[in-house]
């Protein structure tokens, strides 16, 4: 079906809903690289005007990737909650935007609506929204998940403590973990990106995390971010796995490039559940995504990168995750060129994830060859905190020495906590006080003692 829009004396034709979505997207390098972006600002405006008049029902009848060609499309269509959709089924994309910003869109109505929305509907409406609209609408959403603590409650923001090391050195990782705990990080999870995919090395890291969490009696969850099939093998060998991790994308072909499909994710989910390691809940999956992954794999089917990203959230939603993380600037300037594009993408991803009912966090980050700097990250971090982001990253010094990219530090998390009065997961907060790392008023204690003495106080020791 073609879509037409006239502006002044110029008429524009968009060959399909897929083409219309791509042309309506805010400017970004990936869509330009793919040759699907609007050629002029006038064409972009025309696409948005035409998109505003598209009924939401149209997205149920006109798949951007055919049903018979893609298992992600089949998942989205087959899992759609028609009953929940009834509340907005008569609206166009433009009217849906207006409703989202109205008093009628409350925390409870949005929770009930989530299953009735498809990723493409949410991607479409985001293209009509200003940054402030994305912030306001996302702020209305509450998504709560649980494993050893409770994540996503109103007025709270969690932090993934990311103690990566270029050689997976246990001493270096342990020192980074202690550094993060002293600064109140770790309630989302303690998550290590391993430098090696060797199963024996992954097993050592799993034992290291389990030992620290167990000895400190800490209500937190650990994760080694290795391939899901490696984790499955280690679960079968009896290793202590809390969260099952996998990077995912929004098309079947892109997921195939990651070495996965929906059946593998289902098997991993069931394996994680079978361990019953959670204490207050059993959300066991941790997914990471990022705009541009489908394009970088040559698997985008002509769909714009932001819509592909929203479809990845459709995959995540099927497995009831504890955490979903958009690593927004990690792939590079070929997909998000500069700070402006990264900021916009981060707000879009957070909005789309929250509206679809996901516990969405954002790795506020950039690569060193992007036209961005830490001031851009400060801006995005502040906007996401205002929007109610579920969690962010905590990296020593904001500089990941293993992945070689710039993210947010433990101190950055303290900044937004103080600015917005954001608290940690309640169980983790209580533990910080009990462990002597925080005062009853939740202010952190300043520990100037040497590391060996501090480790002794915490009943820890550096590995040999």
């Amino acid at each position: 079906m073609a879509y037409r829009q006239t502006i002044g004396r110029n008429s524009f034709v968009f060959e399909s809903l897929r083409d219309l979505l791509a042309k309506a997207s805010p400017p970004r390098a990936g869509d330009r690289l793919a040759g699907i972006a609007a050629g002029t600002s006038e064409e972009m405006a025309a696409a948005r005007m035409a998109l505003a008049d598209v009924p939401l029902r149209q997205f149920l009848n006109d798949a951007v990737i055919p049903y018979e060609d893609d298992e992600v499309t089949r998942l989205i269509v087959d899992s759609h909650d028609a009953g929940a959709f009834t509340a907005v089924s008569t609206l166009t994309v433009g009217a849906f935007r207006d409703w989202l910003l109205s008093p009628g869109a409350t925390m409870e109505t949005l929770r009930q609506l989530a299953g009735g929305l498809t990723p493409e509907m949410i991607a479409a409406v985001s293209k009509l929204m200003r940054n402030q609209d994305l912030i306001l609408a996302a702020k209305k959403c509450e998504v709560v998940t649980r494993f050893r603590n409770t994540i996503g409650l109103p007025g709270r923001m969690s932090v993934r403590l990311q103690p990566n090391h270029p050689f997976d050195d246990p001493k270096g990782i342990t020192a980074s973990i202690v550094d993060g705990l002293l600064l109140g990080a770790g309630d989302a999870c303690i998550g290590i990106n391993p430098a090696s995919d060797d199963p024996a090395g992954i097993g050592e890291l799993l034992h290291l995390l389990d030992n620290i969490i167990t000895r400190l009696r800490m209500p937190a969850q650990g994760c080694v971010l290795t391939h899901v099939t490696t984790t499955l093998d280690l679960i079968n060998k009896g290793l202590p796995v809390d969260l099952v991790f996998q990077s995912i994308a929004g098309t079947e072909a892109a997921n195939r490039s990651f070495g996965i499909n929906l059946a593998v994710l289902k098997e991993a989910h069931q394996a994680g559940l079978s361990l019953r390691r959670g204490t207050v809940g059993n959300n066991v999956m941790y997914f990471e995504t990022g705009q541009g992954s489908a394009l970088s794999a040559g698997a985008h089917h002509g769909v714009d990168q932001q819509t592909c990203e929203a479809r990845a959230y459709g995959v995540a939603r099927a497995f009831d995750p504890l955490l979903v993380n958009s690593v927004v600037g990690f792939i590079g300037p070929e997909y998000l060129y500069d700070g402006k594009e990264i900021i916009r993408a981060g707000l879009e991803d957070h909005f789309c994830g929250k509206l679809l009912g996901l516990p969405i966090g954002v790795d506020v980050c950039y690569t060193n060859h992007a036209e961005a700097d830490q001031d851009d990250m400060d801006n995005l971090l502040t906007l996401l905190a205002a929007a109610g982001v579920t969690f962010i990253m905590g990296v020593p010094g904001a500089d990941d020495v293993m992945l070689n990219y710039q993210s947010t530090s433990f101190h950055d998390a303290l900044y937004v906590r103080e600015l917005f009065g954001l608290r940690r997961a309640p169980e983790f907060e209580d533990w910080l006080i009990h462990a002597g790392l925080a005062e009853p008023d939740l202010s952190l204690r300043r520990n100037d003692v040497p590391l060996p003495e501090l480790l002794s106080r915490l009943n820890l020791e550096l590995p040999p």
Side-chain angles (χ1 to χ4, degrees):
M1 175 180 173
Y3 299 83
R4 293 175 171 79
Q5 185 67 45
T6 299
I7 297 181
R9 296 182 179 180
N10 296 325
S11 294
F12 298 88
V13 178
F14 307 98
E15 297 178 354
S16 63
L17 186 58
R18 176 175 57 199
D19 182 43
L20 182 63
L21 288 167
K23 296 296 193 298
S25 291
R28 65 206 56 207
D31 293 338
R32 296 191 293 273
L33 179 66
I36 60 175
T40 65
S41 58
E42 187 178 25
E43 184 181 24
M44 185 190 306
R48 291 177 181 176
M49 291 171 67
L51 182 60
D53 291 333
V54 175
L56 290 179
R57 286 185 180 277
Q58 184 67 23
F59 293 90
L60 301 176
N61 304 317
D62 190 359
V64 296
I65 303 174
Y67 183 92
E68 59 274 13
D69 295 342
D70 185 90
E71 68 172 359
V72 174
T73 299
R74 293 192 288 274
L75 173 66
I76 291 168
V77 173
D78 295 347
S79 62
H80 179 251
D81 186 339
F85 179 61
T86 302
V88 295
S89 62
T90 62
L91 300 181
T92 63
V93 176
F96 183 44
R97 171 201 174 271
D98 293 343
W99 179 81
L100 286 173
L101 300 176
S102 75
T106 64
M107 187 177 293
E108 183 57 34
T109 58
L110 291 174
R111 182 185 296 113
Q112 294 174 0
L113 179 62
L117 300 174
T118 69
E120 292 86 352
M121 291 176 191
I122 297 300
V125 74
S126 75
K127 298 176 192 299
L128 305 184
M129 302 179 89
R130 295 170 57 185
N131 287 1
Q132 66 174 244
D133 300 338
L134 298 172
I135 294 167
L136 181 60
K139 180 70 172 179
K140 297 182 180 185
C141 298
E142 177 185 291
V143 181
V144 178
T145 56
R146 296 175 174 87
F147 189 77
R148 291 201 185 99
N149 58 37
T150 305
I151 296 170
L153 293 170
R156 297 179 185 265
M157 182 194 74
S158 295
V159 175
R160 171 190 157 190
L161 201 170
Q162 184 169 307
N164 297 344
H165 191 279
F167 307 112
D168 289 340
D169 178 66
K171 287 185 179 180
I173 290 172
T174 301
S176 291
I177 291 173
V178 172
D179 185 24
L181 294 178
L182 287 173
L183 293 167
D187 52 338
C189 73
I190 303 174
I192 304 170
N193 295 91
S196 168
D197 285 329
D198 173 52
I202 301 299
E204 291 178 4
L205 295 177
L206 286 169
H207 281 299
L208 174 66
L209 289 176
D210 184 58
N211 178 56
I212 291 173
I213 291 171
T214 300
R215 292 184 68 175
L216 294 181
R217 300 180 181 178
M218 180 168 48
Q221 38 280 334
C223 185
V224 180
L225 282 67
T226 189
H227 195 271
V228 66
T229 55
T230 302
T231 302
L232 268 171
D233 289 342
L234 294 173
I235 288 175
N236 292 332
K237 292 176 180 177
L239 271 78
V241 173
D242 289 344
L243 303 183
V244 179
F245 168 81
Q246 183 55 46
S247 294
I248 57 173
T251 73
E252 179 181 348
N255 283 325
R256 190 184 309 121
S257 76
F258 290 156
I260 62 166
N261 55 34
L262 297 180
V264 169
L265 294 179
K266 182 177 180 180
E267 181 184 359
H269 184 218
Q270 292 302 313
L273 290 172
S274 71
L275 298 177
R276 300 183 180 276
R277 290 175 60 84
T279 55
V280 298
N282 216 17
N283 299 111
V284 299
M285 302 300 287
Y286 176 14
F287 294 118
E288 285 193 345
T289 67
Q291 287 194 29
S293 58
L295 175 58
S296 68
H300 62 105
H301 298 274
V303 179
D304 69 271
Q305 65 182 42
Q306 191 254 332
T307 300
C308 282
E309 174 74 1
R311 284 169 55 92
Y313 302 155
V315 174
R317 184 167 61 174
F319 300 99
D320 201 18
L322 179 76
L323 306 166
V324 179
N325 178 31
S326 167
V327 193
V328 67
F330 182 73
I331 302 181
E334 300 84 0
Y335 307 95
L336 295 169
Y337 177 71
D338 58 13
K340 184 178 180 66
E341 291 189 7
I342 293 171
I343 289 169
R344 173 69 191 191
L347 294 176
E348 289 170 348
D349 294 351
H350 180 251
F351 164 83
C352 290
K354 279 291 183 68
L355 265 291
L356 290 170
L358 288 177
I360 190 83
V362 178
D363 188 346
V364 179
C365 65
Y366 65 101
T367 58
N368 288 312
H369 63 309
E371 290 295 321
D373 59 27
Q374 212 64 33
D375 286 338
D376 295 313
M377 300 306 101
D378 285 350
N379 293 342
L380 178 53
L381 175 62
T382 304
L383 295 173
L384 286 167
V389 71
T390 302
F391 69 101
I392 61 169
M393 300 298 108
V395 178
D399 184 359
D400 192 299
V401 295
M402 195 283 285
L403 293 173
N404 290 312
Y405 79 115
Q406 309 304 310
S407 185
T408 47
S409 70
F410 306 134
H411 295 84
D412 293 330
L414 295 180
Y415 148 69
V416 290
R417 289 194 193 286
E418 182 174 346
L419 182 64
F420 292 103
L422 298 172
R423 297 173 62 177
R424 299 166 182 85
E427 300 89 347
F428 190 83
E429 193 172 76
D430 291 344
W431 174 82
L432 285 174
I433 297 172
H434 179 76
L437 300 180
E439 303 288 357
D441 65 1
L442 304 180
S443 61
L444 295 174
R445 290 186 176 175
R446 301 304 178 189
N447 288 282
D448 297 323
V449 298
L451 181 59
E453 182 179 341
L454 178 61
L455 290 169
S456 177
R457 288 185 187 181
L458 293 175
N459 192 30
L460 281 178
E461 60 186 20
L462 288 178

